[in-house]
Amino acid sequence: MEAPDLPLWATVIVAGFALYGAALTLLGTIGLVRLKTFYDRAHPLGLGLTMGNVSILIASIVCFSVLQTRPVVHEVLILIFVTLTTPVTMMLLARAALFRDRSKAYDQRVATEAHLAAQKQAAELEAAQREAALVHTSDAPEQGPE
């Protein structure tokens, strides 16, 4: 495969956008690896990958527009779909994670409340048994030596 014969100005623009896009994608990937929680990871991943892809697509649009070898419809469609779907997907994933975390916290709270209620009920039952044992021993006639 041969390199296209681009004019110098187009080569600089294409190379600039391609390097910028690659750097943004790399930063998004580093953010994905370095950050700990899902919520921390969602922001650099969404921004880095979306803007990185957009920059690389702009480089491709400039390259094929200058060469005029084919229309740039493919890149424009990819640009539209990436720009629309990535942020929406990240928002839906964040909402699902938030729902999961809230339901997990709710389940833990309910389990804790149930455990505390069971402890309270066991303590009340034990107190009632002690009281019944005291009443039973005090009602019994004392037997003395006969």
Short mmCIF file of all heavy atoms in Angstrom, two decimals, residues 12-75:
data_model
loop_
_atom_site.label_atom_id
_atom_site.label_comp_id
_atom_site.label_asym_id
_atom_site.label_seq_id
_atom_site.Cartn_x
_atom_site.Cartn_y
_atom_site.Cartn_z
N VAL A 12 0.18 18.13 7.09
CA VAL A 12 0.34 18.70 8.44
C VAL A 12 -0.99 18.66 9.19
O VAL A 12 -1.04 18.27 10.37
CB VAL A 12 0.90 20.14 8.36
CG1 VAL A 12 0.85 20.81 9.72
CG2 VAL A 12 2.32 20.11 7.82
N ILE A 13 -2.07 19.02 8.52
CA ILE A 13 -3.39 19.02 9.17
C ILE A 13 -3.80 17.59 9.54
O ILE A 13 -4.26 17.33 10.67
CB ILE A 13 -4.44 19.70 8.26
CG1 ILE A 13 -4.16 21.19 8.16
CG2 ILE A 13 -5.85 19.46 8.80
CD1 ILE A 13 -5.04 21.91 7.16
N VAL A 14 -3.66 16.68 8.60
CA VAL A 14 -4.04 15.28 8.86
C VAL A 14 -3.19 14.70 9.98
O VAL A 14 -3.71 14.05 10.90
CB VAL A 14 -3.91 14.45 7.56
CG1 VAL A 14 -4.04 12.97 7.85
CG2 VAL A 14 -4.96 14.87 6.55
N ALA A 15 -1.89 14.93 9.93
CA ALA A 15 -1.00 14.41 10.98
C ALA A 15 -1.34 15.04 12.34
O ALA A 15 -1.35 14.34 13.36
CB ALA A 15 0.45 14.68 10.63
N GLY A 16 -1.64 16.33 12.35
CA GLY A 16 -1.99 17.00 13.60
C GLY A 16 -3.26 16.43 14.22
O GLY A 16 -3.29 16.10 15.42
N PHE A 17 -4.30 16.28 13.41
CA PHE A 17 -5.55 15.72 13.94
C PHE A 17 -5.38 14.26 14.34
O PHE A 17 -5.94 13.83 15.36
CB PHE A 17 -6.69 15.87 12.92
CG PHE A 17 -7.39 17.18 12.98
CD1 PHE A 17 -7.33 18.07 11.93
CD2 PHE A 17 -8.12 17.55 14.09
CE1 PHE A 17 -7.98 19.29 11.98
CE2 PHE A 17 -8.78 18.76 14.16
CZ PHE A 17 -8.70 19.64 13.10
N ALA A 18 -4.63 13.50 13.57
CA ALA A 18 -4.43 12.08 13.90
C ALA A 18 -3.65 11.93 15.21
O ALA A 18 -4.01 11.11 16.07
CB ALA A 18 -3.72 11.36 12.76
N LEU A 19 -2.60 12.72 15.38
CA LEU A 19 -1.82 12.66 16.63
C LEU A 19 -2.63 13.16 17.82
O LEU A 19 -2.56 12.58 18.92
CB LEU A 19 -0.52 13.45 16.49
CG LEU A 19 0.54 12.81 15.60
CD1 LEU A 19 1.72 13.76 15.42
CD2 LEU A 19 0.99 11.48 16.18
N TYR A 20 -3.38 14.23 17.62
CA TYR A 20 -4.23 14.76 18.68
C TYR A 20 -5.29 13.74 19.10
O TYR A 20 -5.52 13.49 20.29
CB TYR A 20 -4.88 16.07 18.21
CG TYR A 20 -5.76 16.73 19.24
CD1 TYR A 20 -5.22 17.27 20.40
CD2 TYR A 20 -7.14 16.83 19.04
CE1 TYR A 20 -6.03 17.88 21.34
CE2 TYR A 20 -7.94 17.45 19.97
CZ TYR A 20 -7.38 17.97 21.12
OH TYR A 20 -8.20 18.57 22.05
N GLY A 21 -5.90 13.10 18.11
CA GLY A 21 -6.90 12.07 18.40
C GLY A 21 -6.30 10.88 19.11
O GLY A 21 -6.89 10.32 20.05
N ALA A 22 -5.11 10.46 18.67
CA ALA A 22 -4.44 9.34 19.33
C ALA A 22 -4.07 9.70 20.77
O ALA A 22 -4.20 8.86 21.67
CB ALA A 22 -3.20 8.95 18.54
N ALA A 23 -3.61 10.93 20.99
CA ALA A 23 -3.24 11.36 22.34
C ALA A 23 -4.48 11.40 23.26
O ALA A 23 -4.42 10.96 24.41
CB ALA A 23 -2.57 12.73 22.30
N LEU A 24 -5.59 11.92 22.74
CA LEU A 24 -6.81 11.95 23.55
C LEU A 24 -7.32 10.55 23.88
O LEU A 24 -7.75 10.28 25.01
CB LEU A 24 -7.91 12.73 22.83
CG LEU A 24 -7.77 14.25 22.84
CD1 LEU A 24 -8.86 14.89 22.00
CD2 LEU A 24 -7.83 14.78 24.26
N THR A 25 -7.25 9.66 22.90
CA THR A 25 -7.67 8.29 23.14
C THR A 25 -6.75 7.62 24.16
O THR A 25 -7.22 6.89 25.04
CB THR A 25 -7.68 7.50 21.82
OG1 THR A 25 -8.52 8.17 20.89
CG2 THR A 25 -8.19 6.09 22.02
N LEU A 26 -5.46 7.89 24.07
CA LEU A 26 -4.52 7.34 25.05
C LEU A 26 -4.80 7.89 26.44
O LEU A 26 -4.78 7.13 27.43
CB LEU A 26 -3.08 7.67 24.64
CG LEU A 26 -1.99 7.19 25.59
CD1 LEU A 26 -1.96 5.66 25.64
CD2 LEU A 26 -0.65 7.74 25.19
N LEU A 27 -5.09 9.17 26.56
CA LEU A 27 -5.41 9.76 27.87
C LEU A 27 -6.69 9.14 28.44
O LEU A 27 -6.77 8.87 29.64
CB LEU A 27 -5.56 11.27 27.76
CG LEU A 27 -4.27 12.05 27.63
CD1 LEU A 27 -4.56 13.53 27.39
CD2 LEU A 27 -3.41 11.87 28.86
N GLY A 28 -7.70 8.92 27.60
CA GLY A 28 -8.91 8.27 28.06
C GLY A 28 -8.65 6.86 28.55
O GLY A 28 -9.19 6.41 29.56
N THR A 29 -7.78 6.15 27.85
CA THR A 29 -7.44 4.79 28.24
C THR A 29 -6.65 4.78 29.54
O THR A 29 -6.87 3.93 30.40
CB THR A 29 -6.65 4.11 27.12
OG1 THR A 29 -7.40 4.21 25.91
CG2 THR A 29 -6.38 2.66 27.43
N ILE A 30 -5.73 5.71 29.69
CA ILE A 30 -4.96 5.81 30.94
C ILE A 30 -5.90 6.14 32.10
O ILE A 30 -5.76 5.58 33.20
CB ILE A 30 -3.84 6.86 30.81
CG1 ILE A 30 -2.75 6.35 29.86
CG2 ILE A 30 -3.23 7.19 32.17
CD1 ILE A 30 -1.72 7.38 29.49
N GLY A 31 -6.86 7.02 31.86
CA GLY A 31 -7.86 7.32 32.90
C GLY A 31 -8.67 6.10 33.28
O GLY A 31 -9.01 5.90 34.44
N LEU A 32 -8.96 5.25 32.30
CA LEU A 32 -9.70 4.03 32.58
C LEU A 32 -8.89 3.09 33.46
O LEU A 32 -9.42 2.47 34.38
CB LEU A 32 -10.06 3.33 31.26
CG LEU A 32 -10.77 1.98 31.37
CD1 LEU A 32 -12.15 2.17 31.96
CD2 LEU A 32 -10.85 1.34 30.01
N VAL A 33 -7.60 3.01 33.23
CA VAL A 33 -6.76 2.10 33.98
C VAL A 33 -6.43 2.64 35.37
O VAL A 33 -6.45 1.91 36.36
CB VAL A 33 -5.44 1.82 33.21
CG1 VAL A 33 -4.45 1.03 34.04
CG2 VAL A 33 -5.75 1.08 31.92
N ARG A 34 -6.18 3.93 35.49
CA ARG A 34 -5.69 4.50 36.74
C ARG A 34 -6.77 4.79 37.77
O ARG A 34 -6.51 4.73 38.97
CB ARG A 34 -4.93 5.81 36.46
CG ARG A 34 -3.72 5.58 35.60
CD ARG A 34 -2.43 5.94 36.14
NE ARG A 34 -2.36 6.38 37.49
CZ ARG A 34 -1.53 7.28 37.92
NH1 ARG A 34 -0.70 7.84 37.10
NH2 ARG A 34 -1.48 7.62 39.17
N LEU A 35 -7.96 5.17 37.32
CA LEU A 35 -9.00 5.56 38.27
C LEU A 35 -9.67 4.33 38.87
O LEU A 35 -9.75 3.28 38.25
CB LEU A 35 -10.01 6.48 37.59
CG LEU A 35 -9.39 7.80 37.09
CD1 LEU A 35 -10.39 8.58 36.28
CD2 LEU A 35 -8.88 8.63 38.24
N LYS A 36 -10.16 4.48 40.09
CA LYS A 36 -10.62 3.33 40.86
C LYS A 36 -12.10 2.99 40.64
O LYS A 36 -12.43 1.85 40.41
CB LYS A 36 -10.39 3.58 42.35
CG LYS A 36 -8.96 3.86 42.70
CD LYS A 36 -8.13 2.62 42.65
CE LYS A 36 -6.73 2.90 43.12
NZ LYS A 36 -5.72 2.42 42.24
N THR A 37 -12.99 3.95 40.75
CA THR A 37 -14.41 3.64 40.72
C THR A 37 -14.99 3.83 39.32
O THR A 37 -14.41 4.50 38.47
CB THR A 37 -15.20 4.54 41.69
OG1 THR A 37 -15.15 5.89 41.22
CG2 THR A 37 -14.63 4.44 43.10
N PHE A 38 -16.14 3.24 39.12
CA PHE A 38 -16.80 3.36 37.82
C PHE A 38 -17.12 4.81 37.49
O PHE A 38 -16.95 5.25 36.36
CB PHE A 38 -18.10 2.54 37.81
CG PHE A 38 -18.91 2.77 36.57
CD1 PHE A 38 -18.57 2.14 35.39
CD2 PHE A 38 -19.99 3.64 36.58
CE1 PHE A 38 -19.29 2.36 34.24
CE2 PHE A 38 -20.71 3.86 35.43
CZ PHE A 38 -20.37 3.22 34.26
N TYR A 39 -17.56 5.55 38.49
CA TYR A 39 -17.96 6.94 38.25
C TYR A 39 -16.76 7.80 37.87
O TYR A 39 -16.88 8.71 37.05
CB TYR A 39 -18.66 7.52 39.48
CG TYR A 39 -19.87 6.71 39.87
CD1 TYR A 39 -19.84 5.89 40.99
CD2 TYR A 39 -21.02 6.74 39.10
CE1 TYR A 39 -20.94 5.14 41.35
CE2 TYR A 39 -22.11 5.98 39.45
CZ TYR A 39 -22.08 5.19 40.57
OH TYR A 39 -23.15 4.44 40.89
N ASP A 40 -15.61 7.52 38.46
CA ASP A 40 -14.39 8.23 38.07
C ASP A 40 -13.95 7.85 36.67
O ASP A 40 -13.46 8.69 35.91
CB ASP A 40 -13.25 7.92 39.05
CG ASP A 40 -13.49 8.48 40.44
OD1 ASP A 40 -14.29 9.42 40.55
OD2 ASP A 40 -12.89 7.96 41.40
N ARG A 41 -14.12 6.59 36.31
CA ARG A 41 -13.68 6.10 35.01
C ARG A 41 -14.57 6.59 33.86
O ARG A 41 -14.10 6.68 32.72
CB ARG A 41 -13.68 4.58 34.99
CG ARG A 41 -12.61 3.98 35.83
CD ARG A 41 -12.73 2.49 35.83
NE ARG A 41 -11.64 1.90 36.60
CZ ARG A 41 -11.59 0.64 36.92
NH1 ARG A 41 -12.54 -0.18 36.52
NH2 ARG A 41 -10.59 0.18 37.61
N ALA A 42 -15.81 6.85 34.13
CA ALA A 42 -16.75 7.18 33.05
C ALA A 42 -16.39 8.50 32.37
O ALA A 42 -16.53 8.61 31.14
CB ALA A 42 -18.17 7.24 33.61
N HIS A 43 -15.93 9.47 33.10
CA HIS A 43 -15.69 10.80 32.52
C HIS A 43 -14.52 10.81 31.53
O HIS A 43 -14.71 11.21 30.38
CB HIS A 43 -15.49 11.82 33.64
CG HIS A 43 -15.42 13.22 33.16
ND1 HIS A 43 -16.51 13.88 32.64
CD2 HIS A 43 -14.40 14.08 33.08
CE1 HIS A 43 -16.15 15.09 32.27
NE2 HIS A 43 -14.87 15.24 32.53
N PRO A 44 -13.31 10.40 31.92
CA PRO A 44 -12.22 10.45 30.93
C PRO A 44 -12.44 9.47 29.78
O PRO A 44 -12.04 9.75 28.65
CB PRO A 44 -10.97 10.08 31.72
CG PRO A 44 -11.45 9.41 32.93
CD PRO A 44 -12.82 9.94 33.21
N LEU A 45 -13.07 8.37 30.05
CA LEU A 45 -13.32 7.41 28.98
C LEU A 45 -14.27 7.99 27.95
O LEU A 45 -14.02 7.92 26.75
CB LEU A 45 -13.89 6.12 29.57
CG LEU A 45 -14.10 4.98 28.59
CD1 LEU A 45 -12.76 4.53 28.05
CD2 LEU A 45 -14.81 3.84 29.27
N GLY A 46 -15.36 8.58 28.42
CA GLY A 46 -16.32 9.18 27.49
C GLY A 46 -15.75 10.33 26.70
O GLY A 46 -15.87 10.39 25.47
N LEU A 47 -15.08 11.24 27.38
CA LEU A 47 -14.52 12.40 26.69
C LEU A 47 -13.32 12.03 25.83
O LEU A 47 -13.22 12.45 24.67
CB LEU A 47 -14.10 13.46 27.71
CG LEU A 47 -15.23 14.24 28.35
CD1 LEU A 47 -14.67 15.22 29.36
CD2 LEU A 47 -16.05 14.97 27.32
N GLY A 48 -12.41 11.25 26.37
CA GLY A 48 -11.20 10.91 25.63
C GLY A 48 -11.48 10.12 24.38
O GLY A 48 -10.97 10.43 23.30
N LEU A 49 -12.30 9.10 24.51
CA LEU A 49 -12.56 8.27 23.35
C LEU A 49 -13.44 8.99 22.33
O LEU A 49 -13.21 8.87 21.12
CB LEU A 49 -13.20 6.96 23.77
CG LEU A 49 -12.30 6.06 24.62
CD1 LEU A 49 -12.99 4.76 24.96
CD2 LEU A 49 -10.99 5.79 23.92
N THR A 50 -14.42 9.75 22.78
CA THR A 50 -15.27 10.47 21.83
C THR A 50 -14.47 11.52 21.08
O THR A 50 -14.48 11.55 19.84
CB THR A 50 -16.45 11.14 22.55
OG1 THR A 50 -17.20 10.14 23.22
CG2 THR A 50 -17.34 11.86 21.58
N MET A 51 -13.76 12.37 21.81
CA MET A 51 -13.00 13.43 21.14
C MET A 51 -11.82 12.85 20.35
O MET A 51 -11.45 13.39 19.30
CB MET A 51 -12.52 14.46 22.16
CG MET A 51 -13.64 15.29 22.75
SD MET A 51 -14.67 16.08 21.50
CE MET A 51 -13.51 17.19 20.77
N GLY A 52 -11.24 11.76 20.81
CA GLY A 52 -10.16 11.12 20.06
C GLY A 52 -10.66 10.57 18.73
O GLY A 52 -10.04 10.77 17.69
N ASN A 53 -11.80 9.90 18.78
CA ASN A 53 -12.39 9.38 17.54
C ASN A 53 -12.78 10.50 16.59
O ASN A 53 -12.59 10.40 15.38
CB ASN A 53 -13.60 8.50 17.84
CG ASN A 53 -13.22 7.17 18.41
OD1 ASN A 53 -12.11 6.70 18.24
ND2 ASN A 53 -14.15 6.54 19.10
N VAL A 54 -13.34 11.56 17.13
CA VAL A 54 -13.74 12.69 16.30
C VAL A 54 -12.53 13.31 15.62
O VAL A 54 -12.56 13.63 14.42
CB VAL A 54 -14.51 13.74 17.14
CG1 VAL A 54 -14.67 15.05 16.39
CG2 VAL A 54 -15.88 13.20 17.52
N SER A 55 -11.44 13.46 16.35
CA SER A 55 -10.23 14.05 15.75
C SER A 55 -9.65 13.16 14.65
O SER A 55 -9.23 13.64 13.60
CB SER A 55 -9.17 14.28 16.83
OG SER A 55 -9.63 15.22 17.76
N ILE A 56 -9.64 11.85 14.89
CA ILE A 56 -9.14 10.94 13.87
C ILE A 56 -10.06 10.94 12.65
O ILE A 56 -9.59 10.90 11.50
CB ILE A 56 -8.97 9.52 14.46
CG1 ILE A 56 -7.83 9.55 15.48
CG2 ILE A 56 -8.70 8.50 13.37
CD1 ILE A 56 -7.70 8.29 16.30
N LEU A 57 -11.35 11.03 12.87
CA LEU A 57 -12.29 11.10 11.74
C LEU A 57 -12.12 12.41 10.96
O LEU A 57 -12.24 12.42 9.73
CB LEU A 57 -13.72 10.95 12.24
CG LEU A 57 -14.11 9.53 12.63
CD1 LEU A 57 -15.45 9.52 13.35
CD2 LEU A 57 -14.15 8.63 11.42
N ILE A 58 -11.85 13.50 11.65
CA ILE A 58 -11.60 14.77 10.95
C ILE A 58 -10.34 14.64 10.09
O ILE A 58 -10.31 15.12 8.95
CB ILE A 58 -11.50 15.94 11.95
CG1 ILE A 58 -12.87 16.24 12.54
CG2 ILE A 58 -10.93 17.18 11.28
CD1 ILE A 58 -12.86 17.24 13.66
N ALA A 59 -9.32 13.98 10.61
CA ALA A 59 -8.12 13.75 9.82
C ALA A 59 -8.44 12.93 8.57
O ALA A 59 -7.97 13.23 7.47
CB ALA A 59 -7.05 13.05 10.66
N SER A 60 -9.26 11.92 8.74
CA SER A 60 -9.65 11.10 7.59
C SER A 60 -10.48 11.89 6.58
O SER A 60 -10.30 11.76 5.37
CB SER A 60 -10.43 9.88 8.08
OG SER A 60 -10.84 9.07 7.01
N ILE A 61 -11.38 12.75 7.08
CA ILE A 61 -12.20 13.58 6.19
C ILE A 61 -11.31 14.52 5.38
O ILE A 61 -11.48 14.68 4.16
CB ILE A 61 -13.26 14.36 7.00
CG1 ILE A 61 -14.34 13.41 7.49
CG2 ILE A 61 -13.86 15.48 6.18
CD1 ILE A 61 -15.31 14.03 8.47
N VAL A 62 -10.35 15.16 6.04
CA VAL A 62 -9.45 16.09 5.34
C VAL A 62 -8.63 15.33 4.30
O VAL A 62 -8.49 15.78 3.15
CB VAL A 62 -8.54 16.83 6.35
CG1 VAL A 62 -7.44 17.58 5.64
CG2 VAL A 62 -9.36 17.76 7.21
N CYS A 63 -8.12 14.17 4.68
CA CYS A 63 -7.28 13.39 3.76
C CYS A 63 -8.06 13.00 2.50
O CYS A 63 -7.61 13.25 1.39
CB CYS A 63 -6.77 12.14 4.48
SG CYS A 63 -5.79 11.05 3.43
N PHE A 64 -9.23 12.42 2.66
CA PHE A 64 -9.96 11.95 1.50
C PHE A 64 -10.65 13.09 0.75
O PHE A 64 -10.95 12.95 -0.44
CB PHE A 64 -10.94 10.86 1.90
CG PHE A 64 -10.26 9.58 2.26
CD1 PHE A 64 -10.29 9.11 3.56
CD2 PHE A 64 -9.55 8.86 1.32
CE1 PHE A 64 -9.64 7.95 3.91
CE2 PHE A 64 -8.90 7.69 1.65
CZ PHE A 64 -8.94 7.23 2.95
N SER A 65 -10.89 14.21 1.40
CA SER A 65 -11.43 15.37 0.68
C SER A 65 -10.37 15.98 -0.23
O SER A 65 -10.67 16.38 -1.35
CB SER A 65 -11.91 16.44 1.66
OG SER A 65 -13.00 15.97 2.39
N VAL A 66 -9.14 16.05 0.26
CA VAL A 66 -8.06 16.61 -0.56
C VAL A 66 -7.73 15.68 -1.72
O VAL A 66 -7.52 16.11 -2.85
CB VAL A 66 -6.81 16.89 0.31
CG1 VAL A 66 -5.61 17.23 -0.55
CG2 VAL A 66 -7.10 18.00 1.29
N LEU A 67 -7.69 14.38 -1.45
CA LEU A 67 -7.38 13.42 -2.50
C LEU A 67 -8.54 13.25 -3.49
O LEU A 67 -8.32 12.88 -4.63
CB LEU A 67 -7.04 12.06 -1.90
CG LEU A 67 -5.74 11.97 -1.13
CD1 LEU A 67 -5.58 10.60 -0.51
CD2 LEU A 67 -4.56 12.29 -2.02
N GLN A 68 -9.75 13.48 -3.03
CA GLN A 68 -10.97 13.34 -3.83
C GLN A 68 -11.06 11.95 -4.45
O GLN A 68 -11.47 11.79 -5.60
CB GLN A 68 -11.05 14.42 -4.91
CG GLN A 68 -11.16 15.80 -4.35
CD GLN A 68 -11.17 16.87 -5.42
OE1 GLN A 68 -10.96 16.61 -6.59
NE2 GLN A 68 -11.45 18.09 -5.00
N THR A 69 -10.68 10.92 -3.68
CA THR A 69 -10.76 9.56 -4.19
C THR A 69 -12.12 8.94 -3.94
O THR A 69 -12.55 8.06 -4.68
CB THR A 69 -9.69 8.67 -3.53
OG1 THR A 69 -9.85 8.73 -2.12
CG2 THR A 69 -8.30 9.12 -3.91
N ARG A 70 -12.79 9.40 -2.93
CA ARG A 70 -14.14 8.90 -2.63
C ARG A 70 -14.85 9.94 -1.77
O ARG A 70 -14.21 10.77 -1.11
CB ARG A 70 -14.09 7.55 -1.93
CG ARG A 70 -13.45 7.58 -0.57
CD ARG A 70 -13.54 6.19 0.06
NE ARG A 70 -12.88 6.17 1.36
CZ ARG A 70 -13.46 6.55 2.49
NH1 ARG A 70 -14.69 6.98 2.51
NH2 ARG A 70 -12.79 6.48 3.63
N PRO A 71 -16.17 9.88 -1.72
CA PRO A 71 -16.89 10.82 -0.85
C PRO A 71 -16.65 10.49 0.63
O PRO A 71 -16.33 9.36 0.97
CB PRO A 71 -18.35 10.62 -1.24
CG PRO A 71 -18.41 9.35 -1.98
CD PRO A 71 -17.05 9.06 -2.52
N VAL A 72 -16.81 11.46 1.46
CA VAL A 72 -16.53 11.29 2.89
C VAL A 72 -17.80 10.96 3.69
O VAL A 72 -17.88 11.26 4.86
CB VAL A 72 -15.85 12.56 3.46
CG1 VAL A 72 -14.48 12.75 2.87
CG2 VAL A 72 -16.71 13.78 3.26
N VAL A 73 -18.73 10.33 3.03
CA VAL A 73 -20.00 10.00 3.69
C VAL A 73 -19.78 9.03 4.85
O VAL A 73 -20.40 9.17 5.90
CB VAL A 73 -20.99 9.41 2.66
CG1 VAL A 73 -22.27 8.94 3.33
CG2 VAL A 73 -21.29 10.41 1.57
N HIS A 74 -18.89 8.07 4.67
CA HIS A 74 -18.63 7.09 5.72
C HIS A 74 -18.14 7.76 7.00
O HIS A 74 -18.63 7.46 8.09
CB HIS A 74 -17.59 6.06 5.26
CG HIS A 74 -18.03 5.25 4.09
ND1 HIS A 74 -17.64 5.55 2.81
CD2 HIS A 74 -18.84 4.18 4.01
CE1 HIS A 74 -18.18 4.68 1.99
NE2 HIS A 74 -18.92 3.83 2.69
N GLU A 75 -17.19 8.66 6.85
CA GLU A 75 -16.64 9.33 8.02
C GLU A 75 -17.67 10.23 8.70
O GLU A 75 -17.73 10.31 9.92
CB GLU A 75 -15.40 10.16 7.65
CG GLU A 75 -14.17 9.34 7.40
CD GLU A 75 -14.07 8.85 5.97
OE1 GLU A 75 -15.00 9.07 5.18
OE2 GLU A 75 -13.05 8.22 5.64
#
